[in-house]
Amino acid sequence: MKLPTTFALALTAFSLQAAPLAPPGPEPRIPAFSISYMDRSVSPAVDFYGFADGEWTKDNPVPADKSRWAAFTQLAERNSYLIHGLLEDAAASDSPKGTPRQEVGDFYTSAMNTNLLEELRFKPIAADLERIDSIKSTDDLFHLLADFHNEGVGGIFSASVGPDARQSSIYALELDQAGLSLPDRDYYVKDSFSSQRQAYREHITKMFTLLGEKSDEAAAHAGIVIDLETDLAKASRTRLELRDPNKNYNKVTTPDLLKKNPAITWQLYLAERNLASAPYAIVGQPEFFEAVNKLVETRPLSDWKVYLRWHALTASASYLFHDVEQEDFNFFGKVLSGQPEQEPRWKRASATLNTSIGEAVGQLYVEKYFPPEAKTRMNDLVENLKMVFRDHLERVNWMTDATRAKALAKFARFTQKIGNPDKFRDYSSFEIKRDDYLGNVRRAAAFEAHRQLARVGQKVDPTEWHMTPPTVNAYFNPLQNEIVFPAGILQPPFFDASMDDAVNYGAIGVVIGHEITHGYDDEGRKYDAEGNLNEWWTAEDSKEFDARAQKVVDEYNAFEALPGVHVNGKLTLGENLADLGGVSVAYDALERVLAKDPSKRKPIDGFTPEQRFFISFAQVWRTNIRDEEARRRLTTDTHSPGRFRAVGPLENYQEFFDAFNIKPGDPMWRSPDLRAHVW
């Protein structure tokens, strides 16, 4: 299924390896809140981001193996270090078959078996290439495409399973635009990405050459891939259009689907994926499939064979021998994100395990690093923030009573998940081998595809998680009306038992408020108490909401992230609204805590609790980023850049101005008539 709206983003020297592995380096320090990150020479009334984060940004250049360095990546780096030890121990152990430790250890060993990967060269994808060469008809094409999709190899379109947005208690088949290798359709159609397109052409040519094609043939094949992907890109909706859940919900019965776009052999494709009995599908972008149908009719089969050859190769590159993996990084890492060096192999392997068998890794992580008392404290914080948000819903003065009653009814159904699933996923039904890296990746993908596809028409599992426990992130799921906080984020600088309430409410408190607010942002508000896409607002209230949201759009449109490149206020609106609500709710929750215990108002390090709240919030968004990565994120990411997340919400908040004595005429001041007040 598609991931719900988000916040906001180890080994030993085994005999199979070419050489003993380098140690992971010193343990990364805990990235906690610190006044040492501040630049006291900068006035908070002039540049609050520079004031709160200035010394940190000077002292923390982006590491060579990163495209971005921020509080999130610092914590993820520390988690990675901890997971390294778990992977190392698992790989060295002789654990019973089917246990998480055996699964993690054997999968990890296969990833680190570089001698074998060099020896195998392209043998792991030889069967794929032979099947592509043997395609003789459109039926063959879609038969193979279905098999590829079952094993995690993308191409042409996507077919996934998730809760039906208008009947969210039931799983449904979802068909959506896909088939591109570059980060977004804009990379294919906009002049501003012409240099990336040329580099992409050269990259495909190099990859086909490595595969054994002559240079002229490889270049010609690169042209075919780019031409086909460009046609798919032109038919694809923009990121902004994809944010409209109503426009991207088009229910089609299976008989009607089979009749539509007959060049796509749906009957064969669905049967191959065990979806023939699906009563209907939710087609996200009907015009995209019309374009695919025309392309299948007009482009020769030989072009599609080249296209599938490319997608089989690029999907597998990270799991093959050095030259292919390095060339893959040279383009997707260096060119698109500006990252000079790859991360160490153990980190790349760890990321693959998190994607493939993440709950097995997460089970080991939680057992060692997430004590039960952390979940208890977090639940208490969430309940405090929920109480405040409910009060906001009851008091907001622009909403009519009719809509307010439904908003409160939705809030009454609101739930949370903290730390980790109560029951971890069981991966024992597929084989994990110590000497078959790509095979392990493919079998894990097939396991997950089967698990999901088999659920079409069944009741939704309310216990399921869509992030793994070590993940440094959080999310709101509108289809289940829930917020979810993996164990990975419940550490400093977000959640720190050693810090005062002001720091914690400015960090994890805002994160909690942010996720709660997602239920009432420009997308989340369209889902009702049961998680169904349903228009439950009055026209008057919708108009009032949109007017307030437009002020947020205007504010963020004015932020210039790169010379001449501004933040897209509409694309990032949902996250910006959630940030705005998160600050408001968390600040009010802190004030309630301080009111109960006035002794907590005593300044710390020369700052009042209110000041520490805002400084802590800004420090959560401390960021250094490479220009290439910034440009990619500005095109594809629904989150604003960190430096603007640090100040954007505060510019709408009088309590912030009061805390730092910011007055009209100061650069940080925002006129009251321009400020947005939503939740």
Side-chain angles (χ1 to χ4, degrees):
M1 67 174 290
K2 295 183 285 294
L3 188 68
T5 304
T6 59
F7 177 58
L9 235 137
L11 46 144
T12 51
F14 308 115
S15 60
L16 294 173
Q17 293 167 207
L21 294 169
E27 180 175 350
R29 67 185 180 86
I30 299 172
F33 169 90
S34 176
I35 60 171
S36 68
Y37 299 158
M38 301 172 63
D39 185 348
R40 305 293 189 92
S41 69
V42 177
S43 167
V46 174
D47 176 9
F48 189 72
Y49 179 76
F51 168 74
D53 297 319
E55 289 300 324
W56 184 92
T57 57
K58 294 174 190 174
D59 297 339
N60 287 271
V62 182
D65 65 349
K66 299 287 187 294
S67 59
R68 174 176 174 263
W69 192 239
F72 277 83
T73 44
Q74 280 188 298
L75 179 51
E77 192 80 352
R78 177 171 170 78
N79 275 353
S80 182
Y81 178 92
L82 299 177
I83 291 170
H84 174 277
L86 299 175
L87 299 178
E88 182 177 281
D89 290 345
S93 71
D94 186 18
S95 300
K97 189 173 181 63
T99 63
R101 191 173 299 276
Q102 174 265 319
E103 294 163 346
V104 168
D106 286 1
F107 205 132
Y108 183 70
T109 299
S110 75
M112 301 310 300
N113 189 354
T114 54
N115 273 353
L116 181 58
L117 294 178
E118 293 302 314
E119 179 183 329
L120 292 174
R121 309 280 296 171
F122 285 110
K123 286 183 180 178
I125 63 169
D128 294 338
L129 300 177
E130 289 175 5
R131 288 192 65 189
I132 294 169
D133 287 343
S134 67
I135 290 174
K136 298 291 191 296
S137 66
T138 301
D139 283 356
D140 291 344
L141 171 68
F142 282 97
H143 186 279
L144 181 54
L145 182 69
D147 286 350
F148 273 3
H149 284 181
N150 280 333
E151 294 187 348
V153 177
I156 307 182
F157 59 85
S158 77
S160 59
V161 173
D164 183 332
R166 296 197 188 277
Q167 190 182 2
S168 61
S169 63
I170 300 295
Y171 288 113
L173 171 63
E174 301 172 345
L175 300 172
D176 290 286
Q177 65 185 48
L180 309 181
S181 301
L182 293 176
D184 187 77
R185 68 175 298 283
D186 287 1
Y187 279 72
Y188 295 89
V189 301
K190 288 193 173 181
D191 291 342
S192 55
F193 291 110
S194 60
S195 63
Q196 287 89 343
R197 285 196 296 275
Q198 179 57 35
Y200 180 46
R201 183 181 299 273
E202 294 168 1
H203 167 62
I204 301 174
T205 302
K206 289 177 183 177
M207 291 285 276
F208 277 143
T209 302
L210 284 169
L211 195 57
E213 297 182 3
K214 294 180 180 180
S215 57
D216 289 349
E217 181 185 29
H221 285 170
I224 291 171
V225 171
I226 291 176
D227 286 349
L228 261 176
E229 290 190 350
T230 299
D231 285 339
L232 293 173
K234 289 177 179 177
S236 299
R237 292 181 183 173
T238 66
R239 295 272 172 161
L240 185 57
E241 291 172 323
L242 292 175
R243 290 198 70 244
D244 185 340
N246 286 302
K247 186 177 180 181
N248 290 280
Y249 183 97
N250 303 278
K251 187 174 182 178
V252 179
T253 65
T254 300
D256 284 345
L257 179 68
L258 298 178
K259 294 176 186 176
K260 290 177 181 289
N261 307 317
I264 304 173
T265 55
W266 284 116
Q267 193 163 12
L268 187 152
Y269 176 87
L270 294 176
E272 185 66 20
R273 302 204 70 192
N274 294 319
L275 290 168
S277 61
Y280 63 90
I282 309 301
V283 180
Q285 305 79 33
E287 73 280 8
F288 176 83
F289 289 93
E290 293 172 6
V292 168
N293 187 79
K294 185 175 181 180
L295 287 171
V296 172
E297 289 177 331
T298 58
R299 297 295 294 252
L301 201 58
S302 58
D303 286 1
W304 290 108
K305 291 168 71 171
V306 170
Y307 172 87
L308 286 185
R309 186 176 173 88
W310 165 245
H311 278 266
L313 176 57
T314 192
S316 307
S318 297
Y319 319 114
L320 299 175
F321 63 98
H322 173 271
D323 290 353
V324 173
E325 188 192 27
Q326 184 63 45
E327 175 55 34
D328 183 69
F329 169 77
N330 287 344
F331 178 72
F332 289 103
K334 288 184 179 180
V335 173
L336 294 187
S337 292
Q339 183 177 324
E341 300 176 6
Q342 289 205 71
E343 289 187 322
R345 185 169 185 84
W346 68 265
K347 286 186 184 177
R348 299 179 338 249
S350 177
T352 299
L353 263 70
N354 189 57
T355 300
S356 299
I357 55 170
E359 289 200 11
V361 177
Q363 186 171 349
L364 301 181
Y365 176 84
V366 167
E367 287 172 355
K368 190 164 185 177
Y369 296 115
F370 189 63
E373 55 267 25
K375 180 179 289 192
T376 300
R377 289 199 61 188
M378 185 65 181
N379 270 313
D380 290 342
L381 271 172
V382 171
E383 291 302 325
N384 290 344
L385 272 293
K386 285 170 65 176
M387 190 183 307
V388 175
F389 192 88
R390 179 183 174 85
D391 288 349
H392 282 213
L393 285 178
E394 291 175 339
R395 297 197 320 264
V396 65
N397 60 10
W398 52 266
M399 179 177 275
T400 63
D401 289 341
T403 302
R404 189 194 315 279
K406 292 181 179 180
L408 289 168
K410 175 176 179 175
F411 193 75
R413 298 285 297 274
F414 190 83
T415 60
Q416 69 257 12
K417 294 173 182 170
I418 307 295
N420 56 271
D422 293 332
K423 183 179 180 180
F424 290 96
R425 194 157 298 153
D426 180 0
Y427 299 104
S428 61
S429 62
F430 72 94
E431 187 175 13
I432 297 175
K433 301 179 180 180
R434 292 174 74 88
D435 60 354
D436 188 11
Y437 188 26
L438 179 61
N440 289 335
V441 172
R442 293 281 187 89
R443 286 187 290 274
F447 162 83
E448 182 62 15
H450 175 75
R451 188 183 74 85
Q452 298 228 16
L453 296 176
R455 303 192 296 186
V456 171
Q458 296 182 4
K459 288 284 188 180
V460 166
D461 177 6
T463 69
E464 185 169 23
W465 283 56
H466 304 295
M467 285 182 180
T468 63
T471 303
V472 182
N473 211 327
Y475 67 88
F476 168 71
N477 183 348
L479 298 165
Q480 289 181 235
N481 197 19
E482 66 177 1
I483 54 175
V484 184
F485 300 92
I489 199 174
L490 303 180
Q491 303 174 69
F494 300 97
F495 182 56
D496 190 343
S498 69
M499 282 289 173
D500 50 295
D501 289 322
V503 167
N504 276 311
Y505 276 88
I508 196 64
V510 175
V511 175
I512 296 168
H514 172 110
E515 298 305 339
I516 293 173
T517 305
H518 265 314
Y520 302 86
D521 69 15
D522 64 312
E523 281 187 280
R525 75 179 188 85
K526 296 176 181 178
Y527 295 83
D528 64 19
E530 283 72 43
N532 293 321
L533 192 58
N534 177 30
E535 185 53 67
W536 53 273
W537 290 55
T538 66
E540 178 186 353
D541 286 328
S542 290
K543 184 177 179 180
E544 287 284 351
F545 178 93
D546 290 342
R548 284 160 173 76
Q550 186 59 45
K551 289 188 175 183
V552 179
V553 173
D554 295 341
E555 177 190 8
Y556 283 81
N557 277 342
F559 290 138
E560 188 174 21
L562 292 170
V565 183
H566 288 245
V567 175
N568 185 332
K570 287 187 177 180
L571 178 63
T572 58
L573 177 59
E575 298 299 332
N576 298 334
L577 286 169
D579 282 346
L580 182 63
V583 168
S584 176
V585 173
Y587 183 90
D588 284 2
L590 172 63
E591 288 299 309
R592 294 187 184 195
V593 170
L594 297 176
K596 290 180 181 178
D597 187 356
S599 67
K600 293 184 176 182
R601 289 196 175 275
K602 183 179 179 181
I604 300 175
D605 298 322
F607 295 101
T608 67
E610 288 80 6
Q611 290 173 326
R612 286 173 68 83
F613 172 91
F614 293 118
I615 295 169
S616 176
F617 171 73
Q619 288 195 357
V620 162
W621 298 112
R622 58 186 188 268
T623 305
N624 280 319
I625 188 168
R626 301 185 190 281
D627 286 353
E628 297 89 343
E629 177 67 0
R631 183 176 293 276
R632 184 187 71 80
R633 287 174 177 263
L634 286 165
T635 303
T636 64
D637 198 349
T638 56
H639 302 77
S640 297
R643 65 175 302 161
F644 302 122
R645 297 189 74 173
V647 299
L650 308 187
E651 290 183 354
N652 296 281
Y653 207 51
Q654 183 61 43
E655 288 82 351
F656 165 68
F657 298 129
D658 294 341
F660 293 95
N661 197 31
I662 299 171
K663 303 294 185 184
D666 290 332
M668 284 299 304
W669 178 262
R670 187 171 183 81
S671 174
D673 62 301
L674 298 177
R675 297 178 200 168
H677 300 282
V678 186
W679 303 113

